[in-house]
Amino acid sequence: MRNRSMNMNLEQLDTPAAIVDTGKMQRNIDAMQARMNALGVSFRPHVKTTKCVDVVRAQIAAGAQGITVSTLKEAEEFFAAGITDILYAVGMAPAKLPRAMALKQQGCDLKIIADNAAAASAIVDFCRAANDTFDVWLEVDTDGHRSGLAPEDDALLAIGRILHEGGIEVGGVMTHAGSSYELNDSEALAALAEQERAGCVRAAERLRAAGIACRTVSVGSTPTALAAKHLEGVTEVRAGVYVFFDLVMANVGVCDSSDIALSVLTSVIGHQPDKGWVIVDAGWMAMSRDRGTSKQTRDYGYGLACALDGTPLEGCELAGANQEHGILAVTHADDLARRFPIGMKLRILPNHACATGAQYPEYHALMSDGSTEAWRRFHGW
Amino acid sequence: MRNRSMNMNLEQLDTPAAIVDTGKMQRNIDAMQARMNALGVSFRPHVKTTKCVDVVRAQIAAGAQGITVSTLKEAEEFFAAGITDILYAVGMAPAKLPRAMALKQQGCDLKIIADNAAAASAIVDFCRAANDTFDVWLEVDTDGHRSGLAPEDDALLAIGRILHEGGIEVGGVMTHAGSSYELNDSEALAALAEQERAGCVRAAERLRAAGIACRTVSVGSTPTALAAKHLEGVTEVRAGVYVFFDLVMANVGVCDSSDIALSVLTSVIGHQPDKGWVIVDAGWMAMSRDRGTSKQTRDYGYGLACALDGTPLEGCELAGANQEHGILAVTHADDLARRFPIGMKLRILPNHACATGAQYPEYHALMSDGSTEAWRRFHGW
């Protein structure tokens, strides 16, 4: 069996492995929390990025109030770990209501969301039959990229009323300007952050004017959270990938590649000198199939190779990936077998930390003394 | 907690879920095995596609002799399930030798591969120190797409000699013409299958002429296995994705979309009627980020939507995917909320069965009576 003893250093770990630089992670956590404090809002990190209790505990310790989840499995796992204030930020499917209610009845302060009349009616009917209730937030669409109701949509009030008159508390509105991932300019990001803020606040004001309380105004994505100039009317912000950052975020311009806390440890297993290729044991199973940088300013292939100490190796990108083979294309290809000997360990920075992490049952947290500690992460639904 | 009781039908399962149509799977298994029998070769399926003991038992029952794995974790899991004849088909990293030897010393007939002198020397040195041996196969490159030694390369014999003279049995040669995935024409596939066969046989002949036994000649990929006209000199074939097939293979032309045995069960959770979008709870976490059809004849986005009974819904493709949101773009977008009501269940055929399956801790095997059974799959390394 694989060696799982604690405190191995990077040279001793089996490959591939997902490495979390805990120093960088803590700096990312602290910087985001300080920013939220300065903006005068609560912070509710999205834990879908890591699905790891050890990481989320560090976010809570830094000042996060509650968490955001993308699946009920995440809600269950983090509730079992002692976190009670949880927003399930995917539109409620009626068939999932019993599972959500089971969590609530165990003491979880679970908020669910809706953006349509059918889901709102299903929630009302379910709660009536269960003789219980949910805190429901309405999802607002502020950038047209996915789900939600436009702030000026008549349906926003109609759905608010279905819930309100059905005895369900409309606890808030929430939006996610996910189109921020497509930008790479600080002015444009600040403008989108303002659009996200203004649209969500406007939706809350319309609901309140209609007699629906709507205490919470929740906005966010990593780029807009870092670009917002002010957050008047907003009560809380959500962001996920900032905790590790990744090459997509570096291209968006909200971090430097030196801020990226997640990397994939890999070993050299072969060479094709004529092609300038070093073959490594990090293929797409280790990196994920995410090619999020493919349409950005700089395309990193499946990732940017670094030396074992984390220093980027310029001209060394993971150009291709099969399931367990990565093809590292080296621009200056002379003497490959000597420069990248069989067994040499490298680290690859990922395009997308959420997708890469999801390939692993555990992270290896790299401590300041060079030792590592296994941090479990879960998967599935 | 999620309902895991047995025998739920598709309407009762939580979403997203990975569904295996066991009837289609068995037909795919039987057709491949029959083809291998007719070609007069052994068949060693690649189990990286499923990582699922239930599936592999059906492959063995149909006549497969041994398995191919892409990780030592797969070797360990399938050996624990009673399978002993295992080829680890990724170039050996020296640091993995102790873990491989532990398996061998428990009784696993594990074969490992090498394509370079450094790895061969490391194997010799390790075996000498361990006072034990490995059955090592040499990896041959027959299409230039990844790893391996060219059949005419002087290094092939040099590396064979390092092993042979170091007391290690060179049990065979193996090659994988993975560039077959880039073709879509039966003539070109047949030509590549012949190139794969001829190159691997030639490598074996050169080794034998040098006094190195090299009993096994192992070739294969799903497309070349299905396109080969004869396999003279080959002793065994490997293929993986044929067991489920997928949209990439349909584009290659080696299956029909109706042969695809893996689909993702999803629920409708919203609509954006102005855009012709149905929002479902199968995002990239459920489908994987694999966009393998993006450069093929027909680009299916993140997958092709089907009705619950598996009938493809023409003009309904998963055009976009966030982590837990899929955007189903519907060509004829009138009356979306009535045609795709909230809570409606659909099934999405994946681009790449290996990548999609990897997102799940289990498959739900759909039986002929409409019931399902949970089949565990494992992940990690």
Side-chain angles (χ1 to χ4, degrees):
Chain A
M1 294 296 293
R2 186 167 187 170
N3 188 346
R4 292 186 184 280
S5 59
M6 310 290 273
N7 299 320
M8 287 192 288
N9 65 32
L10 295 185
E11 276 292 1
Q12 295 165 316
L13 283 175
D14 278 359
T15 55
I19 309 300
V20 173
D21 183 316
T22 55
K24 291 182 181 186
M25 179 189 89
Q26 193 62 51
R27 282 200 296 280
N28 296 339
I29 290 171
D30 291 342
M32 179 64 87
Q33 188 65 52
R35 193 172 160 74
M36 295 300 108
N37 295 347
L39 287 163
V41 291
S42 297
F43 183 52
R44 182 187 293 282
H46 206 317
V47 300
K48 73 180 178 69
T49 301
T50 68
K51 304 199 185 198
C52 175
V53 169
D54 302 270
V55 175
V56 174
R57 286 208 174 114
Q59 293 171 301
I60 302 269
Q65 295 177 279
I67 61 171
T68 312
V69 301
S70 69
T71 63
L72 290 178
K73 166 99 170 198
E74 289 162 53
E76 290 160 353
E77 290 267 354
F78 286 105
F79 178 65
I83 296 169
T84 56
D85 182 353
I86 300 178
L87 169 65
Y88 171 43
V90 176
M92 197 70 204
K96 292 175 182 164
L97 284 164
R99 194 170 161 194
M101 183 58 84
L103 262 174
K104 183 169 178 289
Q105 293 184 342
Q106 289 166 56
C108 180
D109 179 15
L110 181 72
K111 299 105 159 79
I112 62 176
I113 69 169
D115 74 350
N116 62 81
S121 297
I123 293 166
V124 168
D125 293 347
F126 178 85
C127 286
R128 198 164 280 154
N131 198 25
D132 205 329
T133 188
F134 273 115
D135 182 357
V136 181
W137 295 7
L138 296 184
E139 185 172 10
V140 178
D141 178 14
T142 51
D143 68 347
H145 87 287
R146 189 170 76 192
S147 299
L149 295 150
E152 302 296 344
D153 194 331
D154 289 342
L156 180 77
L157 300 185
I159 294 163
R161 284 196 194 97
I162 289 171
L163 292 163
H164 186 69
E165 290 164 12
I168 304 290
E169 183 184 2
V170 179
V173 285
M174 60 82 71
T175 194
H176 166 60
S179 63
S180 59
Y181 284 45
E182 293 157 26
L183 304 177
N184 64 357
D185 166 83
S186 60
E187 291 290 311
L189 282 168
L192 183 60
E194 173 56 16
Q195 178 180 320
E196 182 185 45
R197 181 204 70 79
C200 205
V201 170
R202 171 68 182 150
E205 287 169 349
R206 290 186 68 219
L207 286 161
R208 289 168 187 156
I212 296 168
C214 194
R215 292 184 318 280
T216 302
V217 178
S218 176
V219 306
S221 71
T222 287
T224 52
L226 293 170
K229 303 221 158 134
H230 76 92
L231 287 173
E232 201 179 321
V234 167
T235 65
E236 67 164 41
V237 168
R238 308 181 321 281
V241 76
Y242 80 97
V243 69
F244 288 163
F245 284 127
D246 53 29
L247 293 168
V248 165
M249 287 295 118
N251 269 327
V252 170
V254 294
C255 72
D256 187 80
S257 64
S258 63
D259 298 319
I260 299 174
L262 179 67
S263 60
V264 170
L265 185 70
T266 187
S267 299
V268 172
I269 60 170
H271 308 94
Q272 296 288 13
D274 296 348
K275 302 189 177 84
W277 289 354
V278 176
I279 310 295
V280 296
D281 68 355
W284 62 252
M285 189 65 84
M287 299 307 303
S288 90
R289 270 293 197 196
D290 199 294
R291 287 282 290 107
T293 59
S294 64
K295 289 175 184 168
Q296 293 188 303
T297 311
R298 180 163 171 193
D299 182 354
Y300 290 93
Y302 285 90
L304 174 63
C306 301
L308 196 59
D309 69 1
T311 311
L313 300 170
E314 286 306 322
C316 290
E317 286 170 16
L318 204 61
N322 296 156
Q323 187 157 336
E324 298 289 346
H325 295 79
I327 296 176
L328 200 64
V330 180
T331 309
H332 301 288
D334 49 297
D335 212 12
L336 273 191
R338 191 189 55 77
R339 287 162 55 213
F340 297 93
I342 297 292
M344 180 187 194
K345 285 194 162 86
L346 299 168
R347 287 162 73 184
I348 318 280
L349 299 179
N351 286 325
H352 186 179
C354 309
T356 300
Q359 305 296 104
Y360 291 84
E362 68 198 353
Y363 298 111
H364 292 276
L366 176 63
M367 306 302 173
S368 56
D369 66 357
S371 69
T372 62
E373 190 178 292
W375 285 358
R376 172 183 174 255
R377 58 163 291 151
F378 56 89
H379 78 151
W381 284 268
Chain B
M1 292 298 294
R2 185 167 188 169
N3 188 345
R4 292 188 184 278
S5 59
M6 309 291 272
N7 298 319
M8 289 192 288
N9 65 34
L10 294 185
E11 276 292 1
Q12 295 165 318
L13 284 175
D14 279 358
T15 55
I19 309 299
V20 173
D21 183 316
T22 55
K24 292 181 180 185
M25 178 189 90
Q26 193 62 50
R27 283 200 296 280
N28 296 340
I29 290 172
D30 292 341
M32 181 63 88
Q33 188 64 52
R35 196 175 156 72
M36 295 301 107
N37 295 346
L39 287 164
V41 291
S42 297
F43 183 52
R44 182 188 292 281
H46 206 317
V47 301
K48 74 182 178 68
T49 300
T50 69
K51 305 200 185 197
C52 174
V53 169
D54 302 88
V55 174
V56 173
R57 288 210 172 112
Q59 293 171 302
I60 302 269
Q65 294 176 280
I67 61 171
T68 312
V69 301
S70 69
T71 63
L72 289 177
K73 166 100 169 195
E74 289 162 53
E76 289 160 353
E77 291 268 352
F78 286 105
F79 177 65
I83 296 169
T84 55
D85 182 353
I86 301 178
L87 169 66
Y88 171 43
V90 176
M92 198 68 204
K96 292 175 182 164
L97 284 164
R99 195 171 161 192
M101 184 58 84
L103 262 175
K104 182 168 179 290
Q105 293 183 342
Q106 289 165 57
C108 180
D109 178 15
L110 181 72
K111 297 104 157 83
I112 62 175
I113 69 170
D115 75 350
N116 62 81
S121 297
I123 293 167
V124 167
D125 292 347
F126 178 85
C127 285
R128 197 163 282 155
N131 198 24
D132 205 330
T133 187
F134 273 114
D135 182 357
V136 181
W137 296 6
L138 296 184
E139 184 172 11
V140 178
D141 178 13
T142 51
D143 69 347
H145 87 288
R146 190 171 76 193
S147 300
L149 295 151
E152 303 295 344
D153 194 331
D154 289 341
L156 180 78
L157 299 186
I159 295 163
R161 283 195 195 99
I162 290 171
L163 292 163
H164 186 69
E165 291 164 13
I168 304 289
E169 183 184 2
V170 179
V173 285
M174 60 82 72
T175 193
H176 166 59
S179 63
S180 59
Y181 283 45
E182 293 156 25
L183 304 177
N184 64 358
D185 165 85
S186 60
E187 291 291 310
L189 283 168
L192 183 60
E194 173 55 18
Q195 178 180 320
E196 184 184 44
R197 181 202 71 78
C200 205
V201 169
R202 170 70 181 148
E205 286 168 348
R206 290 187 67 219
L207 286 160
R208 289 169 187 156
I212 296 167
C214 194
R215 291 183 319 280
T216 302
V217 178
S218 176
V219 305
S221 71
T222 286
T224 51
L226 293 170
K229 303 220 159 135
H230 75 94
L231 287 173
E232 200 179 321
V234 167
T235 65
E236 67 165 41
V237 167
R238 308 180 321 280
V241 75
Y242 81 96
V243 67
F244 288 164
F245 283 127
D246 53 28
L247 292 169
V248 165
M249 286 296 118
N251 268 327
V252 170
V254 294
C255 72
D256 186 81
S257 64
S258 63
D259 298 320
I260 300 173
L262 179 67
S263 61
V264 170
L265 186 71
T266 187
S267 299
V268 172
I269 60 168
H271 308 94
Q272 295 289 14
D274 295 349
K275 301 189 177 86
W277 289 353
V278 176
I279 311 295
V280 297
D281 68 354
W284 62 252
M285 189 65 84
M287 300 306 304
S288 90
R289 271 294 197 195
D290 199 294
R291 288 281 291 106
T293 60
S294 65
K295 288 176 184 167
Q296 293 188 303
T297 311
R298 181 164 171 191
D299 181 354
Y300 289 93
Y302 284 90
L304 174 63
C306 301
L308 196 58
D309 69 0
T311 311
L313 300 170
E314 287 304 324
C316 289
E317 286 170 15
L318 204 61
N322 296 156
Q323 188 158 335
E324 297 290 346
H325 294 79
I327 296 176
L328 201 64
V330 180
T331 309
H332 300 288
D334 49 300
D335 212 11
L336 273 191
R338 190 189 55 76
R339 286 162 55 211
F340 298 93
I342 297 292
M344 181 187 193
K345 285 194 161 90
L346 299 168
R347 286 161 73 185
I348 317 280
L349 300 179
N351 286 326
H352 187 179
C354 309
T356 300
Q359 304 297 102
Y360 292 85
E362 67 200 353
Y363 298 112
H364 292 275
L366 177 62
M367 306 301 173
S368 55
D369 66 357
S371 68
T372 62
E373 189 177 292
W375 285 359
R376 171 181 174 258
R377 59 163 290 151
F378 57 88
H379 77 151
W381 285 267

